[in-house]
Amino acid sequence: MATKPRDRFDDVPDDLVRVGAHRAPAKGGRGWINFAWAALATGVLIVGGLYGLSRVNPDVSFDLPNFGGGPTADATETPPPVVTPITDPKLVDPVLNLSISVLNGSPTDKQAEAAANQIALAGWPAPAAANSASRTEDVTKIYYNSSDFEGIALGLAQLLGTDPANIVLSDFFPGAPVTIILGADYVPPAS
């Protein structure tokens, strides 16, 4: 069998940066640099994901620790503004395009219709009334989806005799800016 004669390309010195058309083996320690970049990218993705989660669901929040040694957030916290209940429907800004939903979550039938009539008779926009998916609620709750509707929710709580502690800021009910889930504690007005 014929063999090729050896030439100058067969004997390549070890300190040569290039070997033929290919690069020489990588220098030692390059793995740590790749690991550091991968760790940085992972950290950025985790922080970005947690931030996105906190924007999608307002119930999820992450408090950052105070590394500066300065005053903590508790020391500089201002009390939330006091919202006055809106009891007169004429005071509601028409730009809000208010709509109200009443869902019967109590075991008693026709409570949603009774509450909707009570709200409409007080001058509020006629609410949509239906049964809730769950009919085992003990306490009436009022959900509003923006701080613009908090005063309205407080006014409706006064009208229905609901504890203001059961008023919740939530976007769980996208059908109406104010949604009332009637519980077993709701007592309709006497006819």
Side-chain angles (χ1 to χ4, degrees), residues 19-183:
V19 177
H22 304 288
R23 297 207 182 274
K27 295 180 182 177
R30 296 281 306 174
W32 287 107
I33 294 173
N34 291 337
F35 176 77
W37 278 110
L40 178 66
T42 302
V44 167
L45 289 173
I46 289 173
V47 169
L50 291 174
Y51 175 75
L53 179 64
S54 71
R55 302 307 305 161
V56 170
N57 186 352
D59 294 336
V60 176
S61 66
F62 301 98
D63 296 328
L64 297 176
N66 184 11
F67 293 116
T72 63
D74 295 336
T76 60
E77 204 169 286
T78 58
V82 177
V83 177
T84 57
I86 298 175
T87 56
D88 185 4
K90 295 174 190 162
L91 299 177
V92 175
D93 188 1
V95 174
L96 292 178
N97 196 21
L98 175 63
S99 64
I100 303 169
S101 292
V102 179
L103 301 175
N104 185 12
S106 74
T108 309
D109 291 333
K110 302 204 185 270
Q111 293 288 67
E113 292 81 6
N117 288 338
Q118 180 181 2
I119 293 168
L121 287 174
W124 295 95
N131 284 328
S132 176
S134 170
R135 299 283 304 273
T136 59
E137 299 296 323
D138 293 327
V139 178
T140 300
K141 291 189 178 180
I142 300 176
Y143 296 90
Y144 62 98
N145 66 7
S146 168
S147 60
D148 296 336
F149 298 99
E150 185 175 6
I152 296 167
L154 287 167
L156 289 170
Q158 282 185 0
L159 176 67
L160 298 175
T162 302
D163 184 4
N166 296 327
I167 298 173
V168 181
L169 172 62
S170 172
D171 58 355
F172 189 71
F173 298 98
V178 178
T179 301
I180 302 166
I181 307 290
L182 298 173

Side-chain angles (χ1 to χ4, degrees), residues 4-19:
K4 292 185 180 182
R6 291 187 61 80
D7 60 12
R8 62 186 173 118
F9 297 108
D10 291 329
D11 297 319
V12 179
D14 289 336
D15 63 346
L16 189 63
V17 179
R18 295 179 56 90
V19 177

